[in-house]
Amino acid sequence: MTARRTGRRVADVLIALWLPLLVLTIIWIYTTSVPSPFFPPLGRVFAQFGEVWLGPGLTEHVLPSLQNLALGVIIGIVLGIVLGVILALLPVWELLLNPYLQFFRALPGIILLPLLLMILGTNDTSKVLLIAYGAFWPVLLNTVDGIKAIAPEIRQTARSYRFTRWNIFTRVLLPGAFPQISIGIRLSLSIGLVLMVGSELYGATRGIGFFVLEAKQVFNTAGMWSGVILLGVIGYFLSVGYSALERRLLRWREVAH
Amino acid sequence: MTTNIALPQPGEVPTGRRRRAQDYLQHHRGARIVAQLALFLVFLAIYSMLIAFSPSLGRFMPTVPALLVDGFGTILVDPGLWEGVGMTLYATVLGLAISLVLGSVVGVLLSIHRNAYLSAQFVIDFMRTIPPLALIPVGLLLLGPTLRMEVTLIVVTAVWPVLLQVHFGVVNIDPKLLETARSFRIPLWRRMLFIMAPAVGPSFGTALRLSATLCLLLAVGTELIAGGSGLGYLVGWYQQAFRIPETYATIIIVGLLGVALNSFIMFGERRLLGWHRRETKAARS
């Protein structure tokens, strides 16, 4: 019985891994045997990866990038939740502000970059603000929807038990809306990463995106691909990491159901 | 539980009044629009005061008349703007269309067998988490600042949400529906058209909304960073020429384009998937 179960598990791992390994091998063999300036051998890309990103590039480019991302996303999420709750509790204002919210949500954040650079200069503040702007909208709109979806009886019950405002916020509204807010946070993480890279490609002097662009300009294609791979790795771990966090934060729901 | 006794509730009075205002605005479209326009004027007034009292901000923000006359007045009669709108819209729609077709096909193929998705999962997850703008240098190197590069980047990014949503839409079809259809010997093409397509419809709608936003972001971002043509390029160009009213006006046009795209998709979704919304609402109440 246990042997069969281990067999099943081994099969699952093999099924999950054969395609990535195959793709990797094909790219490896192809790039090594057919030399092309655009697609350097994968071995060289990995060598560059170790040399740049595990060496001086870590403090020079990676950490500033990640710091901007973290600051921007946190500011966006906190503001989005707070203003989203306020807006959901003031339905008249939500109705009146709706066209303006739709406009700013539809405006692609990256287009504001030239303005921010002009007003604030090419520094981290403009980058953080851009990321925060992009992260803000999905959280705001999902918070409003999540809170409006809480059954009114639940809020009335909380009120008749004379919960304080703070308790209603932290114990009723926030947990009740969190599954929906979480969808917004997931979106805002990926938008934040996109804007982080974008802000480093336009008028920047450091950061992973800047390195990739510069590597392309001096025709260091191995360096360029290593940067792209690094960004993929960051994105992947951001997504996997948030999934784990989300599962922990929503564990109470499984018990309740 | 219908025998509620109406007790006087002092705390309820403001809520009641607010409720009445809300109902009124919800049901009177004219009143709502007037109120929204009034709010717009308030925004404009606050904005103008901000500029008037802070000259350092005023250097980078146009006054309202300047925005209207120098900004919109200049760009709306400029054929370059309409060319840009056309380019951006063309790249967005073309990229979106290719992503929808490609994503749907692969998404359906992956749902044929459980192992098909499991095998592809890691590749999909990795590819879809690469921040799309990071591929701009790669695209520039391989294809140059062309429309082809722009559309390729859009597809490489926007295909993933479609693929995943279609895949999960197909996987989550109620097996009873398919079994019933099979025991009635309904031919495959009718099964696909009348059972699978409507069942996948709602998640396809979600994919469409997500992808359209991504497509516009990618189109404008590529144009801004890689240059070439289109609205993103225009904004960067106006900003570098320090023509501030024009910069703002073009950005506003980008936003309006986004709103138009969203409303168009929402309109289509309501027409095609209205039955789904009614059904789920009926089930909830």
Side-chain angles (χ1 to χ4, degrees), chain A residues 124-146:
Chain A
D124 285 346
T125 321
S126 57
K127 294 189 178 100
V128 170
L129 264 181
L130 181 74
I131 296 169
Y133 172 88
F136 172 72
W137 296 104
V139 177
L140 176 85
L141 295 167
N142 278 296
T143 307
V144 172
D145 284 350

Side-chain angles (χ1 to χ4, degrees), chain A residues 161-203:
Chain A
Y161 277 113
R162 311 252 160 146
F163 275 36
T164 59
R165 254 163 218 274
W166 176 247
N167 271 340
I168 289 184
F169 177 66
T170 53
R171 286 168 193 244
V172 179
L173 297 182
L174 221 46
F178 190 73
Q180 178 94 36
I181 296 176
S182 186
I183 297 174
I185 293 180
R186 180 172 287 284
L187 271 173
S188 76
L189 279 177
S190 56
I191 293 179
L193 189 62
V194 171
L195 291 178
M196 178 199 94
V197 177
S199 70
E200 291 165 358
L201 291 175
Y202 190 84

Side-chain angles (χ1 to χ4, degrees), chain B:
Chain B
M1 287 304 287
T2 45
T3 53
N4 263 333
I5 304 165
L7 288 170
Q9 290 170 306
E12 283 294 280
V13 175
T15 330
R17 203 189 303 143
R18 212 186 285 157
R19 169 65 36 86
R20 232 174 295 143
Q22 185 194 349
D23 283 345
Y24 185 77
L25 285 174
Q26 223 146 28
H27 295 121
H28 294 78
R29 195 148 181 244
R32 191 171 67 225
I33 291 173
V34 168
Q36 282 164 346
L37 284 177
L39 198 61
F40 186 63
L41 292 180
V42 174
F43 286 151
L44 282 188
I46 294 173
Y47 175 80
S48 303
M49 280 197 321
L50 206 69
I51 296 175
F53 286 117
S54 161
S56 61
L57 271 181
R59 260 183 46 223
F60 300 115
M61 293 181 174
T63 56
V64 177
L67 179 67
L68 287 178
V69 177
D70 300 338
F72 284 108
T74 323
I75 65 164
L76 285 180
V77 296
D78 182 2
L81 175 83
W82 300 106
E83 227 170 81
V85 171
M87 283 290 297
T88 305
L89 209 55
Y90 181 64
T92 308
V93 173
L94 188 63
L96 185 62
I98 297 176
S99 313
L100 288 179
V101 174
L102 205 65
S104 306
V105 170
V106 180
V108 170
L109 284 181
L110 285 184
S111 46
I112 288 175
H113 195 270
R114 193 181 79 98
N115 286 347
Y117 178 71
L118 282 181
S119 307
Q121 194 179 15
F122 184 80
V123 178
I124 294 175
D125 280 350
F126 188 78
M127 289 300 290
R128 121 194 123 91
T129 46
I130 295 179
L133 294 176
L135 295 172
I136 289 182
V138 178
L140 271 178
L141 189 70
L142 298 179
L143 297 167
T146 55
L147 181 71
R148 223 173 107 207
M149 187 272 277
E150 202 178 325
V151 174
T152 311
L153 278 188
I154 292 176
V155 172
V156 167
T157 315
V159 76
W160 307 113
V162 182
L163 196 159
L164 289 176
Q165 289 285 340
V166 168
H167 168 72
F168 287 118
V170 174
V171 170
N172 289 333
I173 296 178
D174 188 351
K176 275 190 213 105
L177 277 178
L178 295 176
E179 282 158 19
T180 313
R182 215 172 306 145
S183 52
F184 274 109
R185 311 242 166 153
I186 296 174
L188 179 69
W189 67 272
R190 291 193 66 138
R191 256 186 287 166
M192 286 184 98
L193 200 63
F194 294 114
I195 294 169
M196 282 164 109
V200 177
S203 56
F204 188 76
T206 311
L208 186 60
R209 260 182 288 125
L210 281 174
S211 292
T213 318
L214 266 178
C215 286
L216 188 66
L217 175 82
L218 254 291
V220 174
T222 315
E223 289 158 4
L224 176 72
I225 292 163
S229 53
L231 285 177
Y233 168 73
L234 272 183
V235 171
W237 190 82
Y238 279 133
Q239 185 259 320
Q240 259 146 34
F242 223 65
R243 288 165 67 172
I244 293 168
E246 285 95 330
T247 315
Y248 277 81
T250 316
I251 289 177
I252 292 173
I253 286 188
V254 173
L256 292 178
L257 200 65
V259 172
L261 200 66
N262 278 349
S263 345
F264 181 69
I265 287 171
M266 250 142 75
F267 173 76
E269 216 184 335
R270 210 168 299 158
R271 286 299 294 272
L272 291 174
L273 296 172
W275 57 271
H276 175 253
R277 186 180 309 200
R278 278 193 297 277
E279 216 161 74
T280 44
K281 230 184 209 154
R284 208 182 291 152
S285 60

Side-chain angles (χ1 to χ4, degrees), chain A residues 37-40 42 45 49 53 212 215 220-231, chain B residues 135 138 141-142:
Chain A
F38 298 132
F39 301 102
L42 205 55
V45 174
F49 191 94
W53 301 120
V212 173
N220 170 13
T221 45
M224 177 187 84
W225 284 109
S226 79
V228 173
I229 292 175
L230 175 71
L231 286 168
Chain B
L135 295 172
V138 178
L141 189 70
L142 298 179

Side-chain angles (χ1 to χ4, degrees), chain A residues 96-110:
Chain A
L96 291 180
L97 287 173
N98 189 35
Y100 309 106
L101 298 184
Q102 294 300 335
F103 175 82
F104 284 107
R105 186 186 64 141
L107 185 71
I110 188 80

